[in-house]
Amino acid sequence: MFRKKNTAGVNSNEIRAILDEKKAKMKLSLKACAHCSLCAESCFLFMGHNKDPKYMPSYKFLNSVGVLYKKKGNVDKLDLGEMRDLVWERCVLCTRCYCPIGIDIPDMLALARRICRSQGVYPQYDRE
Amino acid sequence: MALSHIFSWTFIYDFIRGPMVWISFIIFFCGVVFQVLRFMYLLKEQPVQKLEPGPGNIIHSQTVSHVKVDRVKTGWFKKGWFKKGPDKKDWMLWVKLSIAGVNPFMTIVTTIFHVLLIGVPVFVLGHNILLDNAFGVSMVSLPENVSDFLTGIVIFCTLIFLFRRLFLDRVKIITSYADYFFLSLAAAPFVTGYLAYHQVFSNYKLLISLHMLSGELMLMAVPFTKFMHMIYMIIVRFNVAGEYSFGNATKNW
Ligand code: SF4
Ligand code: SF4
């Protein structure tokens, strides 16, 4: 879907700089992910939400770090808002997810959180 | 060499079954070595408390030593006579919670698929004859009807993967076009080999060329594309410390 980006308030250089710190691991992990969905059941939030695929660990990391990397940090507040929902509201970073290939999914989600935080995007506890 | 000659059928055929084989093997091996070295460079030694895989061991590890102390203090069995390791029930729970326990069907399918994906090409009679012609050495070969049957199983497994991608929401949601492409690329050498062996189409030469070409493309793709999960899995599992690592993994990245 194409919509006009409003990149005000987002410093994509800063995002890129953070991505670069973990570039090698992130790139290799994104590439190695076979999109197999076998990690799904290892996340208790996936199990607790009627096995909603949007709670799959791989879905969360591919749509946060994966998108940030693909777009080279050129995202806007709306994108980051969606990522906030992914990495805070659909993940508690309990580090129990398990990938048969050995991808460190929690580390990737933590990276996405860090990037959100660097852009002033935080979890909203006052929201329903 | 005239251009018409380069694009001629015989030239392409000879190229695919000649130099291209060597090129793809060289790219494959160099690529794998490069990626392995890169991994080893990225992984840093970082001694951490290694938790043995399996249930119950956490009680005995240093990180939760206070638990141990409490236990020891509580009774006369502190000498460890009754030190309880994980019993059968713990192991059963552990297996039940693992991917094999949660998803036994996919575990079996994917294990069979990956073993055969590597095993069948190595032990197929036709490949060993070529190997014998080239170097005078060869591996033991499977009887032809067995390798034929196993090839059928590989194709069947890829069909299962394909149906999962197409119809299962949880796989669909993370599927990209590249996944279909690489699944086809993995299946192509087997499908073409199968068809060529059974001489389904009269044009054997075309099929066998496609067979060689797809096999070569696949080999070359392993170190640089999605197929690199093969390298990733082995390197990470044996080196990065974690409760699911194999052996004495002590690194981190
Ligand atoms: S993170 Fe691992 S288990 Fe999950 S989809 Fe990717 S490769 Fe499969
Ligand atoms: S770290 Fe997040 S994704 Fe992984 S199991 Fe915990 S809640 Fe699920």
Side-chain angles (χ1 to χ4, degrees):
Chain A
M1 258 174 290
F2 294 101
R3 64 181 163 75
K4 203 163 166 356
K5 283 214 182 300
N6 177 12
T7 49
V10 177
N11 183 349
S12 39
N13 286 333
E14 202 180 348
I15 297 180
R16 267 197 298 275
I18 299 176
L19 287 175
D20 276 347
E21 278 176 40
K22 279 222 176 242
K23 196 169 179 186
K25 181 176 182 179
M26 175 187 65
K27 258 175 82 175
L28 287 170
S29 301
L30 284 170
K31 205 179 245 182
C33 175
H35 299 174
C36 65
S37 89
L38 289 182
C39 50
E41 275 94 353
S42 62
C43 177
F44 74 101
L45 287 172
F46 172 82
M47 299 305 276
H49 283 87
N50 242 335
K51 303 201 174 183
D52 180 352
K54 291 209 165 73
Y55 282 84
M56 273 194 318
S58 53
Y59 178 83
K60 291 180 263 192
F61 107 85
L62 293 170
N63 284 289
S64 53
V65 170
V67 169
L68 285 168
Y69 173 66
K70 212 187 289 168
K71 296 192 176 167
K72 300 193 174 64
N74 290 317
V75 289
D76 62 6
K77 281 266 155 128
L78 221 67
D79 295 321
L80 289 173
E82 281 167 18
M83 275 170 220
R84 164 186 48 217
D85 292 352
L86 277 178
V87 297
W88 268 295
E89 273 162 39
R90 290 192 215 144
C91 172
V92 296
L93 223 56
C94 66
T95 72
R96 299 316 298 155
C97 32
Y98 174 83
C99 164
I101 290 165
I103 292 169
D104 192 352
I105 306 169
D107 193 35
M108 294 295 118
L109 292 168
L111 178 66
R113 280 191 179 191
R114 195 175 141 205
I115 290 169
C116 284
R117 259 188 257 113
S118 78
Q119 302 306 308
V121 177
Y122 294 97
Q124 287 179 312
Y125 296 112
D126 54 351
R127 212 167 59 166
E128 265 300 299
Chain B
M1 215 181 309
L3 215 57
S4 61
H5 175 67
I6 291 180
F7 285 109
S8 76
W9 177 226
T10 28
F11 181 81
I12 294 173
Y13 180 69
D14 283 338
F15 184 73
I16 288 175
R17 68 187 190 132
M20 183 88 170
V21 179
W22 302 117
I23 292 170
S24 54
F25 267 103
I26 289 168
I27 291 181
F28 170 74
F29 281 116
C30 293
V32 170
V33 169
F34 167 72
Q35 291 291 17
V36 169
L37 290 178
R38 193 154 83 113
F39 265 111
M40 294 327 245
Y41 175 75
L42 286 169
L43 303 177
K44 298 275 181 305
E45 196 68 42
Q46 209 171 73
V48 283
Q49 172 78 37
K50 169 91 170 74
L51 298 180
E52 292 300 323
N57 292 315
I58 193 156
I59 299 297
H60 308 301
S61 81
Q62 280 167 13
T63 41
V64 284
S65 55
H66 58 284
V67 178
K68 191 160 73 181
V69 171
D70 280 353
R71 276 193 147 198
V72 171
K73 269 197 291 198
T74 49
W76 50 270
F77 50 86
K78 57 185 160 201
K79 293 276 187 285
W81 292 347
F82 286 94
K83 203 168 109 188
K84 216 168 137 249
D87 64 11
K88 216 172 113 199
K89 250 181 27 221
D90 294 331
W91 279 107
M92 270 155 67
L93 183 67
W94 183 69
V95 171
K96 225 169 102 186
L97 291 176
S98 70
I99 286 184
V102 171
N103 226 326
F105 176 70
M106 274 315 289
T107 307
I108 293 170
V109 171
T110 186
T111 307
I112 292 178
F113 172 78
H114 286 96
V115 167
L116 293 183
L117 188 74
I118 297 168
V120 171
V122 174
F123 296 114
V124 130
L125 181 66
H127 292 176
N128 278 315
I129 292 175
L130 291 175
L131 211 60
D132 195 39
N133 289 345
F135 299 113
V137 287
S138 63
M139 235 80 69
V140 281
S141 309
L142 291 166
E144 285 204 307
N145 51 355
V146 174
S147 50
D148 189 41
F149 174 70
L150 295 178
T151 306
I153 290 187
V154 174
I155 296 170
F156 185 64
C157 290
T158 51
L159 285 179
I160 293 175
F161 289 148
L162 180 66
F163 278 107
R164 263 168 59 87
R165 285 225 179 280
L166 284 172
F167 301 115
L168 220 62
D169 275 341
R170 49 189 277 185
V171 193
K172 214 157 66 179
I173 200 169
I174 46 172
T175 295
S176 56
Y177 292 121
D179 293 317
Y180 290 114
F181 174 76
F182 286 112
L183 188 60
S184 328
L185 188 56
F190 292 88
V191 174
T192 49
Y194 193 81
L195 294 178
Y197 175 70
H198 288 276
Q199 315 244 342
V200 177
F201 300 116
S202 52
N203 200 339
Y204 176 82
K205 211 167 165 185
L206 176 69
L207 270 180
I208 208 70
S209 313
L210 287 175
H211 173 72
M212 292 185 291
L213 190 64
S214 54
E216 289 158 357
L217 285 177
M218 189 177 157
L219 264 185
M220 289 189 282
V222 165
F224 307 108
T225 64
K226 225 157 222 357
F227 291 145
M228 73 170 289
H229 62 258
M230 167 185 144
I231 307 167
Y232 190 100
M233 174 169 178
I234 295 170
I235 299 289
V236 168
R237 275 301 138 101
F238 281 95
N239 288 290
V240 176
E243 64 192 297
Y244 302 110
S245 54
F246 303 140
N248 279 329
T250 53
K251 292 190 163 78
N252 204 346
W253 63 331

